[in-house]
Amino acid sequence: MHPIIFSKMDFSQSNLFGYIEDLQELTIIERPIRRSLKTPEEIERLTVDEELSDIERAVYLLSSGQDIQGTSVVANLPVLMRQNPAETLRRVLPKIREVLHVAGVEMQLTAAVSFLTVLQEESVSIHTYSHSFLHIILQHLEHRDAAGVSNAWLETLLAVIEALPKETIRHEILNPLVSKAQLSQTLQSRLVSCKIMGKLANKFETHIIKREILPLVKSLCQDVEYEVRACMCRQLEHIAQGIGTELTKTVVLPELVELARDEGSSVRLAAFETLVNLLDMFDADDRSQTVLPLVKSFCEKSFKADESILLSLSFHLGKLCNGLYGIFTPEQHLRFLEFYKKLSTLGLQQENGHNDNQLQLQTLEQEKKYILVRKNCAYNFPAMIVFVDPKNFHLELYSVFFCLCHDPEVPVRYTMALSFYEVAKLLNSGVYTIHKELVTLLQDESLEVLDALVGHLPEILELMTNGGENNGSESKAGILMLLSIPDLIPALTTAEQRAATSLKWRTHEKLLQKYACLPHIISSDQIYYRFLHRMLTIILTNNVLPVQKAAARTLCVYLRYNRKQEQRHEVIQKLIEQLGQGKSYWNRLRFLDTCEFIMELFSKSFFCKYFFLPVLELTHDPVANVRMKLCYLLPKVKSTLKIPTDKHLLQQLELCIRKLLCQEKDKDVLTIVKRTVLELDRMEISVDAFQKRFYENDLLDQEKERQEHLLLEMEQLEKEKQQNEGRSTNVNDKIFENKRRDSKTSSVLAKSITLSVPGSSSGTSAGSKEDKKSKLVRSQSFSTQALHAKYSNIDKCPNKSSATGYTSSVSGIGKSSMLSYSDDSFRTHSTGNSGNAAFLSSSSSRNLYNSADQKNNGNKESQSRKMSM
C-alpha cells in the first residue's frame, strides 16, 4: 500500500483562511441576484393601465416611467408616427425632447436611429420633419460622448441633409456652421464642421461654395490641431467633386501638397489617400509635376522614417500605378514594379545593409504590419498584371504570384484565392501557366483559403480547360490543361474530403454545389469512378441536411450527363434500393429530395419511367414524416404525367391518394393529405400534343428529352465505332480467304447473275444493306435483352405496369435509340395482365424483325432459283 499524497492541496491555517475568503466571495456573487428581485411597490410603479391608448401610454411612460421604459417609447417612435403622426408630433415628441436633455447613452443612440427611421419611411413631409426633428438633432451634435452619441447624431444629420431643400440647409445648417468652425470653438465642434462641409459641397452651386464654404475649408486645413487637419483633408475629395476640375486644380491641390508635408503622420496619410482618389481629376501636367514627386517621396520614406504610410501605400499601389501609367518613363515603370515585388515579400527575408539587425528583432506589431502589407499586395495583384501587360506575366510577375500563393500566412493566401478568378481572366490564353497554383490552393491546409477559391471554381476550371475566354477548346492552353487534369482530380477529391472531415459544413456544402460543373470539365468515366459514388456516400452517411441536399443535386447532375447507359442504370438502382427502400427513414426522406432534383433536371418521361412508382410506394411508409413529405411532393409528381401516355400511372396516383384518405391515422398527415387533394384537383395535366397553356414547359421538357436521347445515340455510335474498329483488323484475313475459293465457281455465279437478272446488282446491294441493318437491329435487341438478368431488380414495386406509352412517344427518334432507351428490363415489373402485355409487346417486336428477315431470305431463295433456271 502506498500512501496517498495530496500534492496540490494544502490545509495549513493560512491557506484555509484563503479558501474561506473564496467561499465568502461566492456568497457575495449571489447577493445582487436576490437584490435584483422587484418588490411589490416597484412592480406597482412599473405597471401601466391597460386601457390607455398608445399615445397616452407613451406620454405617461416618458413623464413618470423609468429609463428603460422611456427608451422603449423612443424605439417605438416610428410605429407611432405611422399610426397617428399628428398626435405623436403634438404630444409625444415634446416629451422626448425634454427627456433627451438628461437621458443616458442608450436612449440617445436609440433616438438617433428612430429619427433616421422616421425620415426614411417618409411618415411626414420633409418640411414638417425639418420643423419638428432638425432642431433636436442639431442640439445633440456636441454630446459629451463624442465617439458614440455625437457620431450617431452626426450620421443622422448627414442623411437628413440629403433630403432637405437648399434654403433650409442654408439657414439652419450653413449659417451656424460659420461660427462653429472658428478656432474659438471646441475641438469636437470643429471636427463636426469638417464632416458637414464635405456633405454640403454637393448641395450648392459653385459660386456659393467658392464664396461661403472654401474660406472655411482653408482655415480648417490650417487648424492648429492635427486631428482637424486630417479630418478636413479627407473631406477634400468630396469638396473637389462638388467644385469641379478648375477649382480643384487651383484650390484643393495646393492644400493637398502642403498637407502631404505636414508634421503629423495621420495628416500625411490622409493627404496621400486623397491624392490617390483624386487622380482622375488631375491632368497629365499635374500628375507628372506635382503628384508623381509626392508619391516617390512617400515610397522612399515608407521604409525609412515613416512606416505609418506603408500599409496605405501597399493598399493603393495598384490604383496608383495604373493612374500614373501614362507619364511613367521605362525607368520609373521598372522602379515601381520592383517596389511592388519588394513589398510582396516584406518580412519573409532579411534585407541587405543596415536593417539586418532591425529585421531580426522584429516585434509582433511589425510582423502583423508586414502580413497586412503582403495581403494588400495580393489584393492588388490583378491591377499589377494590367500594369505590366498580361503578355509579360510569366517574365515579370510569375515569381511574385508563386510566392503569394505559397505565403506562410493564411490571410495572404486567402486574398490570392479570392483574386484567382480575376487573374485567370486577365491571363486569357496564358492561363495554363497558373494551373499548378490552382492545385496548390485546392490542397491548402486552411479551409478559409479553399472556401475563397471555391466561390468562382466553375469559372476558373472553364477558363483553364478552354484556354481563356476567346479561345476554343482545341487551343494549346486547353491541351496543356487537359494534360494536367490527372493532378487536378486528386486535388479536387482531397479538398472535398478535408471539407467533409471539418466542422465547417457550409464550406462543404458550397464545395459540393460547385462540383456540379465537373461534367463540363472532365470525362464521364472520371466523374463516375472518382466523384459520383462519393456523392452517394455523402447522402447516406453525412449528418448535415444542407450537405446531403447539395450532394443529392450534384449526383443528379452527374447522372444527367453520364454517357453510359449501364452506369446510369446502376446509379438508379442504388438510389431506389439504398435510399427509397432504405432501412432508415432519413434515407427515404433524402430519396424524396433526390426525386425533386430529378424532376428539375430530367424530362418528365425519364422520371415516370424510373422513379414514379418507387415514389408512390412511400405512401405506405411506416414513418409519418416520410408520408408527410411525400404529400407535399405529390403535386410536382402529378405534373410529370402526360395523358394518354401515362394514364395507368395517373390511376396508380389516384389509388394511393384514396388509400391515404381512408387509412391515414396521423392527424397532421391527414390534414396535409386533404389540402394536397384540393391542390391536385385544381391541377391540369398536360397532354402529348402541344397546348398554349403548357407551351414553354413542354418545349423545355422536349429539349431535355431530346438531350437524353442524344446521349443514348452517342453511346450507340461509340459502340458501333468500336465494333467497326475491331472488325477492320479481320478484313484482310477475310479477303485472303475469299481469294482462296474456287475461282471457277465465282466466275460462273457472276455470269449467271449478270445474264439472268439484268440490273440486279443494285437490287442485291440494297438487299444486302437491308439485311445488314436488320441484323444490326436484332443484335442491338439481343444486347439489350442480355442486360435483363443484371438489372431486372431495379424497381420492386407491386401493381406496376409497363411504360408502353413512353416507347410510343419516342418512336420518331429512330430504331436504335428507341430500342436502347425502351429497355423493358429497366421498367417497373408488372403482375397479371400488364406483365403479359409487356411480354407480348417485346415478343411482337421480335416477330416483326423475324418476319423482315424471312422476307429477305425469301428474296434470296427466289434469286437463286432464277439463277439455277
Side-chain angles (χ1 to χ4, degrees), residues 91-116:
R91 300 183 60 187
V92 179
L93 193 60
K95 287 291 182 181
I96 292 177
R97 180 184 296 179
E98 293 176 6
V99 173
L100 285 177
H101 285 293
V102 293
V105 173
E106 186 176 356
M107 186 180 290
Q108 290 276 353
L109 296 174
T110 305
V113 175
S114 295
F115 282 21
L116 182 58

Tab-separated table of all heavy atoms in Angstrom, residues 91-116:
chain	number	residue	atom	x	y	z
A	91	ARG	N	-47.900	65.566	-28.963
A	91	ARG	CA	-47.834	65.179	-27.562
A	91	ARG	C	-46.570	64.388	-27.198
A	91	ARG	O	-45.996	64.594	-26.125
A	91	ARG	CB	-49.067	64.343	-27.210
A	91	ARG	CG	-50.386	65.077	-27.408
A	91	ARG	CD	-51.559	64.219	-26.981
A	91	ARG	NE	-51.475	63.858	-25.569
A	91	ARG	CZ	-52.294	63.010	-24.958
A	91	ARG	NH1	-53.262	62.419	-25.651
A	91	ARG	NH2	-52.139	62.737	-23.668
A	92	VAL	N	-46.140	63.471	-28.069
A	92	VAL	CA	-45.028	62.584	-27.714
A	92	VAL	C	-43.679	63.240	-27.971
A	92	VAL	O	-42.776	63.169	-27.123
A	92	VAL	CB	-45.142	61.252	-28.492
A	92	VAL	CG1	-43.985	60.323	-28.150
A	92	VAL	CG2	-46.468	60.573	-28.204
A	93	LEU	N	-43.486	63.886	-29.136
A	93	LEU	CA	-42.182	64.446	-29.487
A	93	LEU	C	-41.703	65.514	-28.505
A	93	LEU	O	-40.512	65.527	-28.145
A	93	LEU	CB	-42.230	64.997	-30.914
A	93	LEU	CG	-40.868	65.341	-31.529
A	93	LEU	CD1	-39.980	64.111	-31.583
A	93	LEU	CD2	-41.036	65.924	-32.920
A	94	PRO	N	-42.574	66.437	-28.008
A	94	PRO	CA	-42.091	67.383	-26.972
A	94	PRO	C	-41.586	66.687	-25.714
A	94	PRO	O	-40.602	67.117	-25.102
A	94	PRO	CB	-43.323	68.247	-26.699
A	94	PRO	CG	-44.123	68.183	-27.939
A	94	PRO	CD	-43.925	66.805	-28.463
A	95	LYS	N	-42.241	65.611	-25.297
A	95	LYS	CA	-41.773	64.864	-24.134
A	95	LYS	C	-40.407	64.223	-24.393
A	95	LYS	O	-39.542	64.195	-23.518
A	95	LYS	CB	-42.795	63.783	-23.778
A	95	LYS	CG	-44.068	64.310	-23.138
A	95	LYS	CD	-43.773	64.853	-21.740
A	95	LYS	CE	-45.040	65.343	-21.065
A	95	LYS	NZ	-44.753	65.897	-19.718
A	96	ILE	N	-40.211	63.698	-25.630
A	96	ILE	CA	-38.910	63.117	-25.974
A	96	ILE	C	-37.825	64.183	-25.941
A	96	ILE	O	-36.705	63.944	-25.460
A	96	ILE	CB	-38.984	62.450	-27.364
A	96	ILE	CG1	-39.897	61.221	-27.317
A	96	ILE	CG2	-37.603	62.051	-27.852
A	96	ILE	CD1	-40.094	60.534	-28.645
A	97	ARG	N	-38.131	65.391	-26.405
A	97	ARG	CA	-37.161	66.487	-26.371
A	97	ARG	C	-36.761	66.804	-24.937
A	97	ARG	O	-35.578	67.045	-24.645
A	97	ARG	CB	-37.750	67.710	-27.050
A	97	ARG	CG	-36.810	68.901	-27.060
A	97	ARG	CD	-37.470	70.121	-27.667
A	97	ARG	NE	-37.788	69.916	-29.060
A	97	ARG	CZ	-38.394	70.842	-29.825
A	97	ARG	NH1	-38.752	72.007	-29.288
A	97	ARG	NH2	-38.661	70.584	-31.088
A	98	GLU	N	-37.725	66.809	-24.021
A	98	GLU	CA	-37.425	67.103	-22.613
A	98	GLU	C	-36.561	65.991	-22.002
A	98	GLU	O	-35.608	66.260	-21.264
A	98	GLU	CB	-38.719	67.238	-21.816
A	98	GLU	CG	-39.561	68.455	-22.210
A	98	GLU	CD	-40.878	68.487	-21.464
A	98	GLU	OE1	-41.066	67.613	-20.565
A	98	GLU	OE2	-41.720	69.346	-21.751
A	99	VAL	N	-36.897	64.744	-22.311
A	99	VAL	CA	-36.185	63.625	-21.701
A	99	VAL	C	-34.756	63.513	-22.219
A	99	VAL	O	-33.833	63.150	-21.481
A	99	VAL	CB	-36.972	62.314	-21.955
A	99	VAL	CG1	-36.180	61.109	-21.481
A	99	VAL	CG2	-38.314	62.362	-21.245
A	100	LEU	N	-34.525	63.825	-23.497
A	100	LEU	CA	-33.197	63.667	-24.089
A	100	LEU	C	-32.145	64.559	-23.445
A	100	LEU	O	-30.945	64.261	-23.521
A	100	LEU	CB	-33.258	63.939	-25.593
A	100	LEU	CG	-33.876	62.841	-26.460
A	100	LEU	CD1	-33.938	63.273	-27.905
A	100	LEU	CD2	-33.096	61.541	-26.343
A	101	HIS	N	-32.531	65.664	-22.821
A	101	HIS	CA	-31.543	66.545	-22.189
A	101	HIS	C	-30.837	65.858	-21.034
A	101	HIS	O	-29.667	66.159	-20.738
A	101	HIS	CB	-32.218	67.829	-21.698
A	101	HIS	CG	-32.556	68.772	-22.808
A	101	HIS	ND1	-31.591	69.421	-23.552
A	101	HIS	CD2	-33.752	69.174	-23.311
A	101	HIS	CE1	-32.163	70.188	-24.466
A	101	HIS	NE2	-33.479	70.053	-24.340
A	102	VAL	N	-31.528	64.935	-20.375
A	102	VAL	CA	-30.940	64.251	-19.214
A	102	VAL	C	-30.832	62.745	-19.453
A	102	VAL	O	-30.584	61.991	-18.515
A	102	VAL	CB	-31.784	64.524	-17.954
A	102	VAL	CG1	-31.709	65.991	-17.564
A	102	VAL	CG2	-33.237	64.104	-18.173
A	103	ALA	N	-31.041	62.315	-20.670
A	103	ALA	CA	-31.070	60.879	-20.970
A	103	ALA	C	-29.666	60.306	-21.000
A	103	ALA	O	-28.661	61.007	-21.201
A	103	ALA	CB	-31.773	60.636	-22.303
A	104	GLY	N	-29.603	58.998	-20.823
A	104	GLY	CA	-28.338	58.301	-20.897
A	104	GLY	C	-27.938	57.977	-22.319
A	104	GLY	O	-28.614	58.334	-23.302
A	105	VAL	N	-26.820	57.259	-22.436
A	105	VAL	CA	-26.264	56.948	-23.752
A	105	VAL	C	-27.205	56.055	-24.550
A	105	VAL	O	-27.419	56.267	-25.751
A	105	VAL	CB	-24.883	56.281	-23.585
A	105	VAL	CG1	-24.359	55.797	-24.929
A	105	VAL	CG2	-23.903	57.240	-22.961
A	106	GLU	N	-27.801	55.073	-23.910
A	106	GLU	CA	-28.653	54.128	-24.629
A	106	GLU	C	-29.859	54.814	-25.258
A	106	GLU	O	-30.192	54.563	-26.423
A	106	GLU	CB	-29.108	53.024	-23.672
A	106	GLU	CG	-29.888	51.910	-24.359
A	106	GLU	CD	-30.248	50.791	-23.419
A	106	GLU	OE1	-29.837	50.841	-22.242
A	106	GLU	OE2	-30.947	49.861	-23.850
A	107	MET	N	-30.502	55.718	-24.515
A	107	MET	CA	-31.662	56.414	-25.069
A	107	MET	C	-31.251	57.370	-26.176
A	107	MET	O	-31.971	57.526	-27.173
A	107	MET	CB	-32.402	57.170	-23.964
A	107	MET	CG	-33.715	57.796	-24.433
A	107	MET	SD	-34.596	58.678	-23.142
A	107	MET	CE	-35.112	57.331	-22.110
A	108	GLN	N	-30.068	57.989	-26.056
A	108	GLN	CA	-29.590	58.904	-27.098
A	108	GLN	C	-29.351	58.143	-28.408
A	108	GLN	O	-29.771	58.592	-29.478
A	108	GLN	CB	-28.291	59.570	-26.638
A	108	GLN	CG	-28.449	60.571	-25.513
A	108	GLN	CD	-28.852	61.945	-26.023
A	108	GLN	OE1	-28.882	62.184	-27.230
A	108	GLN	NE2	-29.171	62.847	-25.113
A	109	LEU	N	-28.700	57.002	-28.320
A	109	LEU	CA	-28.445	56.211	-29.519
A	109	LEU	C	-29.742	55.717	-30.141
A	109	LEU	O	-29.913	55.732	-31.366
A	109	LEU	CB	-27.539	55.025	-29.183
A	109	LEU	CG	-26.117	55.358	-28.713
A	109	LEU	CD1	-25.390	54.096	-28.287
A	109	LEU	CD2	-25.335	56.072	-29.803
A	110	THR	N	-30.689	55.314	-29.290
A	110	THR	CA	-31.985	54.844	-29.795
A	110	THR	C	-32.735	55.966	-30.491
A	110	THR	O	-33.375	55.762	-31.536
A	110	THR	CB	-32.819	54.280	-28.639
A	110	THR	OG1	-32.066	53.271	-27.965
A	110	THR	CG2	-34.117	53.679	-29.146
A	111	ALA	N	-32.666	57.178	-29.927
A	111	ALA	CA	-33.360	58.322	-30.524
A	111	ALA	C	-32.767	58.677	-31.889
A	111	ALA	O	-33.501	58.995	-32.835
A	111	ALA	CB	-33.276	59.522	-29.590
A	112	ALA	N	-31.437	58.611	-32.022
A	112	ALA	CA	-30.802	58.920	-33.309
A	112	ALA	C	-31.262	57.938	-34.388
A	112	ALA	O	-31.577	58.330	-35.522
A	112	ALA	CB	-29.280	58.881	-33.160
A	113	VAL	N	-31.346	56.666	-34.040
A	113	VAL	CA	-31.793	55.658	-35.001
A	113	VAL	C	-33.272	55.846	-35.341
A	113	VAL	O	-33.684	55.745	-36.504
A	113	VAL	CB	-31.531	54.244	-34.446
A	113	VAL	CG1	-32.103	53.188	-35.376
A	113	VAL	CG2	-30.036	54.011	-34.257
A	114	SER	N	-34.091	56.146	-34.346
A	114	SER	CA	-35.529	56.324	-34.583
A	114	SER	C	-35.803	57.538	-35.456
A	114	SER	O	-36.661	57.493	-36.359
A	114	SER	CB	-36.263	56.453	-33.252
A	114	SER	OG	-36.168	55.263	-32.503
A	115	PHE	N	-35.086	58.629	-35.235
A	115	PHE	CA	-35.275	59.825	-36.061
A	115	PHE	C	-34.909	59.535	-37.515
A	115	PHE	O	-35.585	59.993	-38.443
A	115	PHE	CB	-34.417	60.968	-35.525
A	115	PHE	CG	-34.993	61.635	-34.301
A	115	PHE	CD1	-35.915	60.989	-33.501
A	115	PHE	CD2	-34.612	62.912	-33.951
A	115	PHE	CE1	-36.446	61.594	-32.373
A	115	PHE	CE2	-35.135	63.537	-32.840
A	115	PHE	CZ	-36.054	62.870	-32.039
A	116	LEU	N	-33.839	58.766	-37.718
A	116	LEU	CA	-33.436	58.415	-39.084
A	116	LEU	C	-34.467	57.495	-39.735
A	116	LEU	O	-34.773	57.634	-40.927
A	116	LEU	CB	-32.067	57.739	-39.054
A	116	LEU	CG	-31.465	57.344	-40.405
A	116	LEU	CD1	-31.321	58.551	-41.318
A	116	LEU	CD2	-30.132	56.643	-40.211
